[in-house]
Amino acid sequence: MNQSLKVLTAEQMKQFETEGYVIVKGVWNKEEIEEIRAEFDKISLTPVPGYFDPVLDGEQEDPLRRYPRVMHPHRYNDLSKHYMLHPAVLDIMHDLYGEEALAAQSMFYYKPPGSRGQALHQDNFYLKVEPGNCIAAWAAIDRCDEENGCMLLVPKTNTYEIVCPEESDSNESFTNHYVKPPKEEKPIAAIMEAGDILFFNGNLIHGSYRNKTKDRFRRAFISHYANSSAMSISHWYNPLYKADGSELSLEANPDGGPCGIETPAYH
């Protein structure tokens, strides 16, 4: 390992390199978590066309119609941009990349009680970062466990190529893509406390369970990053952001990719 680490240990780096992911405990403190919760409680009350499109009137059979994910909140919400560019997160990303990270995307998942999970998939199928790869920073805003729909990770699949997806089971997944994991690796549950952040490689196969609880949300703030040496990305993710908040754009990779599938803004 040639790089000088800022915050991660050699053991954490080894896990990321061999398993494709690492959970860093307590990156955000209680006050920061409360700030994020309060902000997205406010956001949940008002539609923002193209970013957050809830159905607010009447009872919804599908709880995700009332609480869909928020896409790219950093483009209109200053607090979201702040947390996407949070110094502690960017320091970890610098360790993982060995160079500066560029922020490409933010999302917020409410995942209310009873809502479906997300079928197994690979992130760089959508972001198309080249050369290099995207890395996700998946921050738990609530405790995440198997009951309320925590993340599922398939270890060591970070070394796999991008796999063209099959159709998912719409009864269990709110997205329609599914990537079948290899027989030799079984998905594991990522149990996390609020403030923990899961970092994982863009080729790692991952998804999530259904929220089986009746009274617990599983909120998460997720950002995706590209290495600063990358030359291109899917056009949905321009512009990207440097640590100081300044914008830049990479060459736009066209839709279709190696699988010939149109992929709207991930995901």
Side-chain angles (χ1 to χ4, degrees):
M1 196 177 302
N2 297 323
Q3 70 189 76
S4 176
L5 299 176
K6 288 187 174 184
V7 286
L8 295 181
T9 66
E11 183 179 9
Q12 287 172 315
M13 284 295 298
K14 183 178 180 181
Q15 181 186 347
F16 184 83
E17 291 165 0
T18 59
E19 302 291 313
Y21 72 92
V22 63
I23 295 173
V24 183
K25 307 292 288 184
V27 179
W28 292 343
N29 62 37
K30 183 177 179 180
E31 290 72 24
E32 290 173 314
I33 292 298
E34 289 301 326
E35 183 177 42
I36 296 169
R37 282 182 185 151
E39 188 73 3
F40 281 92
D41 280 350
K42 289 191 294 185
I43 287 173
S44 74
L45 301 176
T46 308
V48 183
Y51 297 98
F52 178 60
D53 295 294
V55 178
L56 300 177
D57 299 331
E59 289 290 323
Q60 301 299 325
E61 185 176 337
D62 180 358
L64 291 177
R65 286 176 60 80
R66 171 61 185 89
Y67 289 102
R69 57 190 168 175
V70 186
M71 302 297 291
H72 289 304
H74 69 276
R75 292 182 178 174
Y76 66 91
N77 179 269
D78 289 341
L79 190 73
S80 297
K81 185 176 180 181
H82 166 74
Y83 279 98
M84 182 180 73
L85 298 175
H86 194 286
V89 174
L90 292 182
D91 282 348
I92 294 169
M93 295 299 305
H94 191 283
D95 282 354
L96 296 176
Y97 275 132
E99 61 185 74
E100 182 184 359
L102 304 175
Q105 185 190 30
S106 64
M107 297 186 291
F108 189 87
Y109 283 57
Y110 293 96
K111 197 159 190 181
S115 59
R116 291 171 291 170
Q118 187 169 7
L120 295 173
H121 61 281
Q122 295 167 295
D123 286 355
N124 210 41
F125 171 78
Y126 303 92
L127 277 85
K128 303 188 181 80
V129 174
E130 296 176 339
N133 208 329
C134 63
I135 295 177
W138 195 102
I141 308 302
D142 300 294
R143 174 178 165 80
C144 304
D145 52 48
E146 292 166 283
E147 290 302 306
N148 73 342
C150 69
M151 288 285 281
L152 284 170
L153 310 171
V154 185
K156 298 183 174 66
T157 53
N158 54 304
T159 62
Y160 282 62
E161 296 296 324
I162 294 296
V163 178
C164 295
E166 305 172 9
E167 192 74 16
S168 67
D169 179 358
S170 61
N171 291 319
E172 293 299 325
S173 173
F174 73 90
T175 54
N176 59 9
H177 289 165
Y178 168 69
V179 170
K180 188 176 182 178
K183 291 181 180 178
E184 64 270 18
E185 295 292 344
K186 301 297 182 185
I188 63 169
I191 310 299
M192 300 169 64
E193 301 296 336
D196 297 348
I197 301 184
L198 164 67
F199 296 85
F200 57 92
N201 173 285
N203 284 35
L204 188 82
I205 298 173
H206 66 286
S208 68
Y209 289 108
R210 171 184 286 274
N211 186 341
K212 296 180 286 187
T213 71
K214 297 186 183 302
D215 59 357
R216 295 170 58 206
F217 280 70
R218 190 231 62 185
R219 289 162 289 198
F221 185 90
I222 303 106
S223 299
H224 286 91
Y225 302 85
N227 44 296
S228 59
S229 58
M231 301 298 292
S232 60
I233 194 169
S234 170
H235 66 92
W236 296 106
Y237 304 94
N238 277 321
L240 288 78
Y241 295 81
K242 294 184 177 181
D244 63 5
S246 61
E247 297 181 7
L248 76 161
S249 291
L250 302 182
E251 179 183 343
N253 275 335
D255 286 331
C259 301
I261 297 172
E262 173 94 10
T263 54
Y266 172 70
H267 79 285

